[in-house]
Amino acid sequence: MDMTKNNMRFEDRDDALNRLIDEILIRHLDTKNCIILATSLAGVAFGEKMSKKLNVKLDFLFTVPIYAPLNHECEIAIVSENMDIIMNEALIDSFEITLDYVYGEAKRAYEEIILTDIYKFRKGSMISSLIGKDVFIVDQGVETGLTMNVAIQTCIAKGAKSIYILTPVIAQNVGTSLSEICDGVISVIRPEHFVSTAHYYRSLPPVNEEEIEKILDNSLGKIEDKNLSKR
């Protein structure tokens, strides 16, 4: 892959998506029984555009980070809507944080944040069935890998047939680590010294909540129509 300075940055989400689609096509991934799973609200719009290009369904996995008790910028774990929890054990041990604290915060985050978001953005519906599905977990960038880790765990628990991580940019060490626990990690840029997702985009405007709600409403409606047609 050409990793010249110009190729180490995307103009915007569309540029990132087009370059990522090229990587996907090179690998000839089968999309006949596929579902795209976005893992962040910022990544929903990115996931929607990918779902249209690949002609596959889109859904969203709600997750919430858990922070250290004395440092609310330091993620020590993450919990998903399936109540799967992935911990950064090194940080938990170094800060001498108890598992009771982690599990207590996970329960609180699930009840106060995740359930609220499920009703707000998905009208109370649970995540689509992943049984026997080829799942493409998608985001506009992957930094620590905690979210992708918990997403993989949730997909496994829900019976996914195969699991791929698709992202324009991912830290090199994180990509290597994730590739050991899923079927593949497809990316465009894998910097050795990762800065932040925004650093690799010249333009990365925020996505407003109304747009996210509209996207998820549309994707949920399509999934429900498909399920009804199978009855």
Side-chain angles (χ1 to χ4, degrees), residues 21 44 68 86 99 132 145 166:
I21 292 292
V44 167
I86 292 292
L99 290 181
L166 308 181

Side-chain angles (χ1 to χ4, degrees), residues 29-35 54-56 133-134 136 226:
L29 291 187
D30 188 359
T31 61
K32 291 179 182 177
N33 190 39
C34 171
I35 184 169
L54 297 179
N55 193 29
V56 299
K133 292 285 187 180
D134 299 310
F136 292 172
K226 185 175 181 180

Side-chain angles (χ1 to χ4, degrees), residues 68-69 76 88-99 101-102:
I76 58 170
N88 187 325
E89 295 181 1
L91 285 178
I92 290 171
D93 291 342
S94 65
F95 291 148
E96 298 182 345
I97 298 170
T98 66
L99 290 181
Y101 171 83
V102 176

Side-chain angles (χ1 to χ4, degrees), residues 17-216:
L17 178 61
N18 290 333
R19 289 168 64 180
L20 181 58
I21 292 292
D22 287 343
E23 295 291 332
I24 295 169
L25 294 177
I26 288 171
R27 287 162 178 78
H28 303 289
L29 291 187
D30 188 359
T31 61
K32 291 179 182 177
N33 190 39
C34 171
I35 184 169
I36 288 177
L37 206 59
T39 57
S40 74
L41 292 178
V44 167
F46 187 86
E48 183 201 28
K49 289 182 178 181
M50 179 179 285
S51 74
K52 288 179 177 178
K53 280 185 175 289
L54 297 179
N55 193 29
V56 299
K57 301 300 182 202
L58 169 71
D59 204 343
F60 182 79
L61 177 67
F62 290 96
T63 63
V64 174
I66 299 166
Y67 299 99
L70 300 179
N71 186 344
H72 291 278
E73 293 184 355
C74 179
E75 289 186 18
I76 58 170
I78 191 161
V79 58
S80 79
E81 65 181 86
N82 200 48
M83 273 303 287
D84 295 310
I85 303 171
I86 292 292
M87 305 182 199
N88 187 325
E89 295 181 1
L91 285 178
I92 290 171
D93 291 342
S94 65
F95 291 148
E96 298 182 345
I97 298 170
T98 66
L99 290 181
D100 284 344
Y101 171 83
V102 176
Y103 288 120
E105 284 297 291
K107 184 174 184 294
R108 182 191 64 78
Y110 178 80
E111 293 175 349
E112 297 180 7
I113 302 174
I114 290 179
L115 288 181
T116 298
D117 283 346
I118 286 174
Y119 278 95
K120 179 177 182 180
F121 293 106
R122 217 198 273 135
K123 309 306 182 226
S125 298
M126 300 309 292
I127 192 172
S128 305
S129 172
L130 303 181
I131 296 174
K133 292 285 187 180
D134 299 310
V135 182
F136 292 172
I137 306 175
V138 173
D139 210 337
Q140 61 190 12
V142 177
E143 299 185 5
T144 66
L146 275 180
T147 300
M148 290 300 174
N149 243 298
V150 80
I152 290 170
Q153 185 169 309
T154 295
C155 290
I156 292 172
K158 288 191 166 291
K161 177 184 175 184
S162 68
I163 305 165
Y164 288 87
I165 305 293
L166 308 181
T167 182
V169 57
I170 185 170
Q172 188 179 104
N173 64 322
V174 173
T176 300
S177 176
L178 289 174
S179 67
E180 296 175 357
I181 59 173
C182 69
D183 292 275
V185 177
I186 299 177
S187 59
V188 180
I189 302 173
R190 291 197 188 191
E192 184 177 356
H193 304 291
F194 194 92
V195 180
S196 68
T197 294
H199 174 80
Y200 300 97
Y201 288 80
R202 288 188 172 86
S203 174
L204 192 64
V207 182
N208 64 60
E209 289 194 355
E210 287 184 3
E211 183 178 351
I212 293 168
E213 283 189 70
K214 184 178 179 180
I215 291 170
L216 293 179

